[in-house]
């Protein structure tokens, strides 16, 4: 039995990971963690019988502890608890499916404990890639991408020489507002932005997809995962999300990975790599697809992507500021405190007000995060 821990088990990626576990039947779940959703966590505990469970919110952890008293599971809380769940001694792979920079410390702890990482939590790599990638090398652990584009690239690179990559072609659907101008985006409501044309995902990433900030984060994620420069990652709009990404090699050959928009495929691939297993679900039907179209990304009406390139090229603490300002802004937008276009205005403002620190430590990354939050609270 393969043994895995899932951080963020109640979310979109977390629940789909558990679906894969259930479908395959030969994976043991050793640890689970979530923020506060103890109702779903209890169901998961009763079904998958993990040894340890972390609920980040202390009060909720106490409540859960009471309701699972009949079981032997250990319930912990807070960052300490999250780290304990990440390093549970028997697990081989830790699926990092929490949302946001909260993922940095447990990911590092899991790697230091020798675990492979099935990485969904892109914010960790974007802000701390310069710590994560060398650490993976030092510890001899693998970072297996779960993000569909990065899984696609990973699949295209199978058996290839890393040095022969000319360019990474990161595909994007363009989100629900593709083709719209800033004028037309002025009055976008939360409900409109949560309505992604192809993928069903968590709320934060769905908003990020609509602003193209998600694609910006993914460019930086690709830079770290595949050891390329920012200008070697080119975003290609492909509205139907059939091609999940491509790699262009030195000789001009382009490899693409295609599939239906189902996150279970990249999740399962990361858990069983290099093995492929049967996956129930829709298959691509090329007769009904008919055509696949490509467009250039619109950096004028969707400045989030342009700002991400700036952040990724500058490096240091700037990607953290880009990400933290976005996390704060998206939370405010979802809370109906700011308008849609203010999201990218906030990111730009926070980036302009920041002095970049090169090669930051985890503490310096978290300081830069706090400073970006503060900046936004004081200005908006
Ligand atoms: P969701 O919002 O659906 O789920 C987030 C998960 O994180 C929940 O289990 C939540 O618990 C948990 N969580 C939140 N805060 C904490 C905390 N402080 N401590 C412990 N757990 C916490 O997000 P997604 O599943 O959509 O995304 C997760 C990550 O995967 C993100 O980084 C995203 O960018 C990435 N990703 C997601 C894709 C998708 O299809 N959804 C695709 C590619 C990447 P609770 O439910 O209790 O709040
Ligand atoms: Mg993606």
């Amino acid at each position: 039995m393969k043994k895995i821990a899932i951080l963020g088990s109640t979310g979109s990626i977390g629940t789909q990971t558990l679906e894969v576990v259930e479908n395959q039947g030969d994976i043991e779940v050793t640890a689970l963690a979530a923020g506060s959703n103890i109702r779903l966590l209890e169901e998961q505990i009763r079904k998958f019988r993990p040894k340890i469970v972390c609920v980040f919110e202390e009060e909720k952890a106490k409540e859960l502890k009471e309701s699972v008293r009949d079981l032997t599971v250990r319930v912990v809380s807070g960052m300490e608890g999250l780290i304990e769940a990440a390093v549970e001694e028997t697990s081989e792979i830790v699926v990092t499916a929490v949302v946001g920079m909260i993922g940095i410390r447990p990911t590092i702890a899991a790697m230091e404990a020798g675990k492979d990482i099935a990485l969904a939590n892109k914010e960790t790599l974007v802000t701390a890639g310069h710590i994560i990638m060398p650490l993976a090398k030092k510890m001899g652990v693998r970072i297996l991408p779960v993000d569909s584009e990065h899984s696609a690239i990973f699949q295209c690179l199978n058996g290839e020489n890393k040095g022969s990559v000319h360019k990474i072609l990161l595909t994007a659907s363009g989100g629900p507002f593709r083709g719209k101008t800033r004028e037309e985006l002025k009055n976008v409501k939360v409900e409109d932005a949560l309505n992604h044309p192809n993928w069903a995902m968590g709320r934060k990433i769905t908003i990020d997809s609509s602003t193209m900030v998600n694609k910006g984060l993914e460019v930086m994620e690709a830079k770290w995962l595949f050891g390329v420069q920012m200008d070697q990652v080119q975003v290609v709009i492909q509205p139907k999300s059939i091609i999940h990404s491509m790699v262009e090699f030195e000789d001009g050959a382009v490899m693409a990975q295609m599939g239906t928009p189902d996150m279970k495929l990249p999740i399962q691939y990361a858990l069983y790599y290099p093995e492929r297993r049967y996956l129930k679900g829709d298959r691509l039907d090329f007769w009904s697809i008919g055509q696949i179209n490509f467009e250039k990304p619109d950096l004028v009406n969707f400045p989030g992507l342009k700002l991400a390139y700036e952040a990724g090229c500058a490096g240091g603490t700037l990607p953290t500021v880009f990400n933290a300002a976005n996390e704060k802004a998206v939370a405010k937008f979802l809370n109906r405190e700011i308008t849609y276009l203010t999201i990218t205005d906030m990111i730009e403002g926070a980036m302009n007000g920041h002095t970049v620190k090169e090669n930051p430590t985890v503490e310096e990354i978290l300081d830069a995060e706090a400073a970006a939050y503060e900046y936004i609270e004081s200005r908006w």
Side-chain angles (χ1 to χ4, degrees):
M1 292 278 262
K2 217 180 250 289
K3 295 183 169 59
I4 70 164
I6 308 170
L7 310 182
S9 65
T10 53
S12 160
I13 295 289
T15 51
Q16 292 182 86
T17 304
L18 287 170
E19 272 182 62
V20 169
V21 168
E22 215 176 352
N23 293 342
Q24 292 299 331
D26 61 352
I27 293 180
E28 183 185 327
V29 178
T30 56
L32 296 174
S36 61
N37 187 351
I38 53 171
R39 193 193 50 76
L40 183 53
L41 257 182
E42 183 175 347
E43 274 175 38
Q44 295 179 343
I45 294 170
R46 294 196 180 277
K47 194 164 189 180
F48 297 97
R49 299 301 169 108
K51 297 190 176 73
I52 179 167
V53 169
C54 172
V55 189
F56 198 84
E57 282 183 27
E58 205 182 327
E59 283 308 307
K60 296 277 181 187
K62 279 188 193 149
E63 246 181 84
L64 180 68
K65 214 179 224 167
E66 275 306 305
S67 48
V68 295
R69 273 173 73 176
D70 56 315
L71 305 173
T72 51
V73 63
R74 230 161 80 68
V75 181
V76 292
S77 71
M79 181 49 81
E80 227 170 88
L82 193 54
I83 290 177
E84 257 190 88
V87 302
E88 190 288 323
E89 64 174 333
T90 61
S91 39
E92 297 151 69
I93 301 180
V94 176
V95 181
T96 61
V98 293
V99 59
M101 288 171 65
I102 191 93
I104 299 177
R105 287 194 193 274
T107 305
I108 291 177
M111 291 165 74
E112 283 173 342
K115 321 284 186 200
D116 287 335
I117 305 294
L119 185 135
N121 178 234
K122 62 189 84 179
E123 296 91 341
T124 284
L125 217 44
V126 166
T127 57
H130 61 290
I131 296 171
I132 300 288
M133 296 316 288
L135 182 61
K137 203 166 169 197
K138 182 179 154 208
M139 297 305 303
V141 299
R142 293 190 293 202
I143 309 280
L144 302 151
V146 167
D147 208 347
S148 59
E149 293 77 1
H150 304 76
S151 174
I153 296 159
F154 187 59
Q155 292 177 58
C156 292
L157 290 173
N158 248 339
E160 298 286 350
N161 183 346
K162 232 179 156 190
S164 59
V165 172
H166 180 65
K167 180 155 91 173
I168 283 175
L169 298 150
L170 194 73
T171 52
S173 70
F177 307 133
R178 182 176 57 87
K180 295 231 185 297
T181 62
R182 275 179 83 75
E183 187 55 37
E184 291 168 313
L185 292 174
K186 258 186 175 163
N187 298 318
V188 161
K189 291 194 195 65
V190 172
E191 294 70 30
D192 308 324
L194 283 177
N195 191 15
H196 195 279
N198 307 335
W199 296 91
M201 308 177 284
R203 284 156 65 86
K204 189 238 171 197
I205 186 175
T206 304
I207 302 295
D208 290 353
S209 299
S210 78
T211 55
M212 294 295 282
V213 164
N214 180 52
K215 210 45 60 178
L217 293 171
E218 290 184 352
V219 173
M220 293 187 258
E221 187 186 7
K223 169 186 123 164
W224 288 116
L225 277 173
F226 305 112
V228 294
Q229 300 300 315
M230 287 294 290
D231 62 5
Q232 279 178 286
V233 187
Q234 184 183 328
V235 174
V236 178
I237 306 286
Q238 195 271 287
K240 287 184 188 166
S241 301
I242 287 157
I243 298 177
H244 296 317
S245 274
M246 305 180 268
V247 177
E248 183 185 322
F249 294 94
E250 287 297 1
D251 58 1
V254 176
M255 299 284 281
Q257 187 261 339
M258 302 186 223
T260 54
D262 180 354
M263 285 307 296
K264 286 198 285 299
L265 194 156
I267 292 168
Q268 181 172 296
Y269 191 74
L271 294 181
Y272 286 99
Y273 174 80
E275 196 186 336
R276 285 190 189 271
R277 292 274 182 104
Y278 178 74
L279 179 61
K280 213 169 83 193
D282 293 340
R283 300 285 160 131
L284 285 182
D285 171 8
F286 286 95
W287 306 143
S288 67
I289 292 165
Q291 284 182 332
I292 302 180
N293 301 314
F294 302 99
E295 293 169 15
K296 248 187 176 173
D298 174 356
L299 302 184
V300 176
N301 292 299
F302 296 85
L305 184 55
K306 186 176 72 76
L307 292 167
Y309 270 97
E310 283 169 24
C313 287
T317 42
L318 205 56
T320 295
V321 172
F322 172 88
N323 180 67
N326 178 61
E327 279 185 27
K328 193 72 169 175
V330 169
K332 283 182 178 292
F333 174 68
L334 284 170
N335 227 3
R336 297 171 207 270
E337 289 171 41
I338 60 167
T339 67
Y340 184 71
L341 291 179
T342 312
I343 298 174
T344 41
D345 289 348
M346 280 183 168
I347 301 174
E348 189 168 14
M351 282 172 65
N352 287 340
H354 180 73
T355 311
V356 176
K357 172 124 197 23
E358 297 295 331
N359 216 11
T361 61
V362 172
E363 285 69 29
E364 287 166 337
I365 291 168
L366 299 175
D367 286 348
E369 176 193 38
Y373 284 0
E374 233 176 82
Y375 171 87
I376 284 179
E377 289 301 353
S378 67
R379 293 294 175 97
W380 271 278

